[in-house]
Amino acid sequence: MAAVDTTAKEMEALHVGQNDEMNENLIKGDKASSSNSATLAAQSSPPEDDDDEAQADGPSQDGAPAVKKKKKKNKSKKKKDPLQQTDPPSIPVDELFPSGEFPEGEIQQYKDDNLWRTTSEEKRELERLQKPMYNSVRRAAEVHRQVRKYMRSIIKPGMLMVDLCETLENMVRKLIKENGLQAGIAFPTGCSLNWVAAHWTPNAGDKTVLQYDDVMKLDFGTHIDGYIVDCAFTVAFNPMYDPLLQATRDATNTGIKEAGIDARLCDVGAAIQEVMESYEVEINGKVFQVKSVRNLNGHSIGPYQIHAGKSVPIVKGGEQTKMEEGEFYAIETFGSTGKGFVREDLECSHYMKNFDVGHVPLRLAKAKQLLGTINNNFGTLAFCRRYLDRLGETKYLMALKNLCDNGIVQPYPPLCDVRGSYVSQFEHTILLRPTCKEVISRGDDY
């Protein structure tokens, strides 16, 4: 409440419970007698919310000014609504959660021999020690949820693929407050179409347009301090592809359900394949059994390392290696109407510096300069040619090839099934916490 000088007569009016508006009118007007003031007070009707507060506080003579201060303070608090995201999203996620605590993902309990973990005080203490790390990855996941929610609302046939990718990536940069290697995009936006299963994003000048009958896998990642959220979904406008999408959605959820501490990777893969291949899809009058793509896998994730060494198969017969406490996994499945086997094809767009590479002497000056750009901006996170263009790099293809030939950078060409087939994908990132399994990237959409 603003500080205002008052006379004794005006204070008397306050004592009988006048509202602020009446006080201002009295102060601004000529000083009236106490009888006139009382008459004005009787004729005035206080605002509805003030009347409610007066009833709650009860009439008071001695403490009236204090009550008025309290009511004013409460009014000011009501005006401070929590910050809401704009449409399209533009407010960084950390500003939407001023407490610094970000929402956790879906919690799934362990089963069988790991049930005891739920109530173990020792395991709970381990989680308390890891809280800062959990919070970082949850922040990255919240950015992913908000960006994909918006993208799903605007994606439509006729969009240029390069425009789609750049809209998505610029939004990630804004919501995550991109900051070098501390926060940003974890890998290039994959928007592979139809028989292309993965690792395709448009290079500069690409004029590919999204069509009504396309099946697009939208796979993008976010990270905070190198903790990566890898999550993907499939977009198809024609409802005849719905069974294909449902097959991969259910197969991914099955893989998540079967994953856990001490779970064998081969058992997870067998469960995924059983669900995936129970589906059929009719496309243009022809029925196809949905096949798991046998040479594509989920994978463990490490800090600044998208593929951390363990593979989660999506067919039976995989390794008997076990999942362990504290590990992150990307559980992703690919369902195909083709052969269920992919090969490298088309122009390469994805690249990544090898995680374990040491110092390699380079003779080409441009290659040395390009390596410096890669180290400073991506480290061991994946990048694409559009990202180099954005940083102002030009005429770098020979230097990039030199880095690949020397084993410093690894190219990741698009992975394709047979032409004319269709591949769908769904993916989530999970964390095997000491007491439970958290599906970090789970949202209302999938």
Side-chain angles (χ1 to χ4, degrees):
M1 186 173 73
V4 182
D5 292 331
T6 57
T7 66
K9 290 182 180 181
E10 289 165 346
M11 285 300 295
E12 183 179 344
L14 284 173
H15 287 182
V16 296
Q18 283 183 296
N19 61 17
D20 297 335
E21 182 180 350
M22 196 68 252
N23 295 338
E24 292 174 4
N25 290 338
L26 287 173
I27 292 167
K28 290 178 181 178
D30 295 329
K31 294 182 179 179
S33 66
S34 59
S35 59
N36 289 340
S37 298
T39 302
L40 285 171
Q43 293 174 348
S44 300
S45 177
E48 193 171 344
D49 58 339
D50 279 359
D51 186 55
D52 292 341
E53 288 183 8
Q55 290 178 8
D57 293 341
S60 173
Q61 293 181 354
D62 298 334
V67 171
K68 296 301 284 186
K69 287 180 182 178
K70 183 177 181 181
K71 284 194 283 188
K72 268 295 184 178
K73 191 173 182 180
N74 289 341
K75 286 181 183 179
S76 64
K77 281 185 178 180
K78 288 179 183 178
K79 293 177 183 178
K80 292 181 180 178
D81 294 329
L83 204 57
Q84 298 293 322
Q85 187 56 273
T86 58
D87 185 19
S90 61
I91 302 173
V93 161
D94 64 343
E95 294 180 14
L96 298 176
F97 296 89
S99 67
E101 298 290 327
F102 298 94
E104 65 180 11
E106 179 192 36
I107 301 300
Q108 295 187 10
Q109 301 301 330
Y110 293 128
K111 54 185 180 179
D112 303 330
D113 293 340
N114 280 315
L115 279 173
W116 63 273
R117 292 176 170 274
T118 305
T119 56
S120 169
E121 190 56 40
E122 178 186 353
K123 296 303 181 183
R124 289 180 180 178
E125 180 60 26
L126 286 174
E127 291 193 350
R128 283 192 284 270
L129 294 174
Q130 294 295 324
K131 191 175 180 180
M133 182 267 284
Y134 294 169
N135 208 42
S136 290
V137 74
R138 286 168 185 163
R139 176 183 166 193
E142 183 62 24
V143 171
H144 199 287
R145 280 188 288 269
Q146 292 196 17
V147 171
R148 76 189 190 224
K149 179 181 179 181
Y150 176 72
M151 294 306 299
R152 286 163 78 91
S153 73
I154 67 164
I155 293 173
K156 59 186 67 176
M159 292 184 72
L160 267 175
M161 299 301 286
V162 68
D163 291 343
L164 185 155
C165 290
E166 290 182 352
T167 298
L168 185 153
E169 289 159 357
N170 287 332
M171 187 168 292
V172 169
R173 292 183 179 109
K174 185 177 292 184
L175 298 196
I176 209 165
K177 282 188 176 176
E178 185 180 43
N179 180 25
L181 297 177
Q182 278 66 58
I185 297 170
F187 52 83
T189 303
C191 51
S192 308
L193 297 174
N194 304 325
W195 66 87
V196 184
H199 296 171
W200 185 85
T201 197
N203 288 322
D206 191 291
K207 300 299 182 184
T208 304
V209 174
L210 185 62
Q211 305 293 332
Y212 175 76
D213 284 324
D214 283 339
V215 175
M216 177 180 68
K217 284 70 65 181
L218 196 58
D219 187 353
F220 70 99
T222 57
H223 84 93
I224 298 289
D225 295 328
Y227 294 108
I228 299 170
V229 172
D230 184 359
C231 186
F233 60 97
T234 299
V235 175
F237 306 104
N238 193 327
M240 74 176 174
Y241 300 117
D242 288 352
L244 177 63
L245 273 61
Q246 189 62 40
T248 45
R249 186 185 292 109
D250 286 354
T252 296
N253 287 331
T254 298
I256 292 169
K257 180 182 176 182
E258 295 300 318
I261 296 171
D262 297 330
R264 298 190 306 172
L265 297 174
C266 59
D267 294 338
V268 177
I272 288 172
Q273 183 177 21
E274 182 179 0
V275 170
M276 180 81 78
E277 298 188 353
S278 67
Y279 280 83
E280 291 181 340
V281 56
E282 182 177 343
I283 299 176
N284 297 324
K286 187 174 180 180
V287 176
F288 299 87
Q289 181 190 20
V290 180
K291 299 176 182 176
S292 282
V293 179
R294 60 184 181 273
N295 60 335
L296 287 177
N297 307 283
H299 47 89
S300 59
I301 304 174
Y304 296 102
Q305 189 176 20
I306 189 63
H307 295 159
K310 291 184 179 179
S311 294
V312 185
I314 60 175
V315 293
K316 62 184 179 181
E319 296 180 357
Q320 296 193 18
T321 306
K322 291 183 177 182
M323 295 178 162
E324 299 176 56
E325 179 182 303
E327 289 182 324
F328 286 89
Y329 282 92
I331 305 296
E332 58 182 322
T333 68
F334 296 84
S336 175
T337 63
K339 291 184 176 180
F341 186 87
V342 295
R343 69 198 185 284
E344 294 181 351
D345 196 5
L346 307 179
E347 182 180 50
C348 187
S349 56
H350 285 51
Y351 300 85
M352 186 167 64
K353 183 183 175 184
N354 286 326
F355 191 80
D356 298 317
V357 70
H359 174 71
V360 178
L362 294 171
R363 298 177 61 184
L364 195 64
K366 180 64 176 175
K368 292 179 183 178
Q369 182 266 322
L370 182 61
L371 180 58
T373 298
I374 293 169
N375 286 334
N376 293 333
N377 293 277
F378 313 114
T380 53
L381 297 173
F383 60 93
C384 64
R385 284 159 56 174
R386 282 189 296 106
Y387 294 180
L388 295 176
D389 298 337
R390 183 173 178 271
L391 292 170
E393 291 290 337
T394 57
K395 300 179 180 179
Y396 54 77
L397 289 180
M398 183 178 293
L400 185 58
K401 183 179 184 302
N402 184 259
L403 294 176
C404 293
D405 291 344
N406 280 281
I408 299 171
V409 171
Q410 178 71 37
Y412 289 88
L415 300 172
C416 308
D417 204 326
V418 293
R419 285 180 178 268
S421 64
Y422 297 92
V423 180
S424 67
Q425 173 198 16
F426 277 87
E427 177 181 21
H428 275 300
T429 295
I430 66 170
L431 167 59
L432 303 184
R433 286 167 46 182
T435 67
C436 62
K437 175 173 44 184
E438 182 174 348
V439 189
I440 296 288
S441 52
R442 182 75 79 190
D444 294 335
D445 46 357
Y446 66 93

